Amino acid sequence: SKKLTAIILRMRKVERKTGCILHVIHIAGTRMKAAGVDELSRCDFMGGIMAGKNPWSYVPLNEDADTRSEGRVADWVKQWWHDEEGKPWCLPRPKATDEVGDGGEGIEFGGYPEREGTIWESSRLVHLEKEDWFRLHEVPGHRLWIPPPAAMSTVMELFAEDHLVN
């Protein structure tokens, strides 16, 4: 839209001229209605924030996406974590050259038949809870992190440290 582009251009000019940084955040209409912001445009000054409610109660920075979605985020990840055969997608697979390396019969698991049926530690998906963040060295396997926005800087620091170790 030309109007939206013009608004963004004006905001960028203000940023450059003043040296400030403007953050634009989308707020869902349902959240605006619950907070009472939408009522201001209708001259109703007795709802939500205008009635004296804490504005931060409408911004759930302490809740992670899985909690807010009632478990749907973790369910979605677990849904595609396994392939069509029901095996975790990260299991070691035989290379294409290994499959016919023994005269056409195929070599399972890259030439290591004793590995068949092995449950690889890295194939598990561990949903990390807040209690797990500071004991990552004790949590084997792949990890599903779904931290709340308020904890993001701490979690990113812990993630980076753990990534260097592992």
Side-chain angles (χ1 to χ4, degrees):
S1 135
K2 289 183 179 183
K3 287 184 180 181
L4 183 58
T5 303
I7 291 171
I8 293 169
L9 180 61
R10 285 178 53 207
M11 289 174 59
R12 291 303 229 179
K13 286 181 179 179
V14 168
E15 282 183 326
R16 289 185 72 191
K17 184 176 181 181
T18 62
C20 70
I21 299 173
L22 298 175
H23 294 277
V24 179
I25 301 169
H26 175 265
I27 300 174
T30 53
R31 189 163 301 221
M32 289 178 64
K33 288 176 185 175
V37 175
D38 189 55
E39 295 169 3
L40 290 175
S41 64
R42 295 180 176 85
C43 297
D44 181 4
F45 302 108
M46 296 309 295
I49 296 170
M50 295 304 289
K53 292 186 179 177
N54 183 354
W56 289 110
S57 66
Y58 299 102
V59 185
L61 296 176
N62 62 328
E63 293 181 10
D64 61 54
D66 199 44
T67 302
R68 289 188 9 232
S69 70
E70 299 173 349
R72 290 191 302 259
V73 173
D75 290 344
W76 174 72
V77 172
K78 289 174 187 171
Q79 175 186 353
W80 54 260
W81 185 254
H82 294 84
D83 63 13
E84 300 83 28
E85 300 170 3
K87 296 179 182 175
W89 61 266
C90 59
L91 279 178
R93 307 276 191 220
K95 297 177 186 173
T97 57
D98 292 338
E99 291 179 13
V100 292
D102 66 346
E105 294 175 14
I107 298 175
E108 292 292 323
F109 295 94
Y112 301 99
E114 67 274 2
R115 292 186 182 178
E116 187 172 353
T118 302
I119 302 298
W120 298 90
E121 180 181 277
S122 64
S123 67
R124 294 187 315 141
L125 179 65
V126 180
H127 186 168
L128 293 179
E129 300 294 335
K130 294 172 188 165
E131 300 81 32
D132 300 325
W133 297 351
F134 296 96
R135 57 175 203 88
L136 291 172
H137 62 282
E138 299 173 9
V139 182
H142 292 283
R143 299 155 185 161
L144 176 59
W145 294 59
I146 310 177
M152 196 56 69
S153 61
T154 302
V155 167
M156 290 307 297
E157 187 176 319
L158 292 168
F159 176 78
E161 181 181 303
D162 183 59
H163 182 71
L164 287 172
V165 171
N166 292 311

